[in-house]
Amino acid sequence: MNAPQQPPVLGGPCPYLSVSNAGKAADFYVTAFGAEEVARMPPDDKGRYMHIHLVINGGSLMLADAFPEHGAPLEKPAGFMLHLQVEDVDAAFGKAVKAGATVKMPVQDMFWGDRYGQLVDPFGVMWTMGAPIKAA
């Protein structure tokens, strides 16, 4: 069998998220975080995706729908956050909120020297964003 060539996985550890609607999540991440979609396998007869590959800020993020009949039920995301270090945290955070993310912690100056905030995407995944505080 000749499988199609897949794009390389970029960055260090690559998160692979199982979400409630991988196709819509991928579209949201393109709009909210400037993700680039580099691969999407065709959906099954129920419209579920087994694999979508995105690149955000130079790192890969993989998505899939839940497949409970294959031992991969949908579970509420918990116990982790995905962090994006950006140039302009206020602009990037505002773009994500405008796209539909919910603010968990507004962007603010933090003791470690970053402007930092937290939000939750429409699929339940917690994201954090930060950028160094610019000197006045």
Side-chain angles (χ1 to χ4, degrees), residues 6-95:
Q6 296 296 311
V9 176
L10 304 175
C14 174
Y16 209 122
L17 305 178
S18 179
V19 294
S20 60
N21 187 320
K24 284 186 179 180
D27 296 342
F28 173 81
Y29 297 150
V30 167
T31 301
F33 303 130
E36 174 190 356
E37 185 173 309
V38 295
R40 185 183 290 221
M41 299 277 202
D44 70 2
D45 59 356
K46 296 178 182 174
R48 300 176 302 177
Y49 289 93
M50 182 180 76
H51 180 72
I52 299 174
H53 183 166
L54 305 174
V55 174
I56 303 175
N57 281 10
S60 291
L61 174 68
M62 309 294 190
L63 302 173
D65 282 296
F67 287 85
E69 70 275 22
H70 297 292
L74 183 63
E75 296 184 19
K76 181 180 178 185
F80 69 92
M81 295 180 274
L82 298 178
H83 180 74
L84 293 175
Q85 194 71 11
V86 296
E87 291 290 319
D88 182 343
V89 69
D90 295 285
F93 199 86
K95 182 178 176 183

Side-chain angles (χ1 to χ4, degrees), residues 83-125:
H83 180 74
L84 293 175
Q85 194 71 11
V86 296
E87 291 290 319
D88 182 343
V89 69
D90 295 285
F93 199 86
K95 182 178 176 183
V97 170
K98 184 177 180 184
T102 302
V103 175
K104 190 79 170 167
M105 183 174 86
V107 174
Q108 55 195 285
D109 291 352
M110 302 304 284
F111 67 90
W112 61 81
D114 272 5
R115 282 189 58 70
Y116 172 89
Q118 299 177 346
L119 43 82
V120 178
D121 72 29
F123 308 90
V125 178

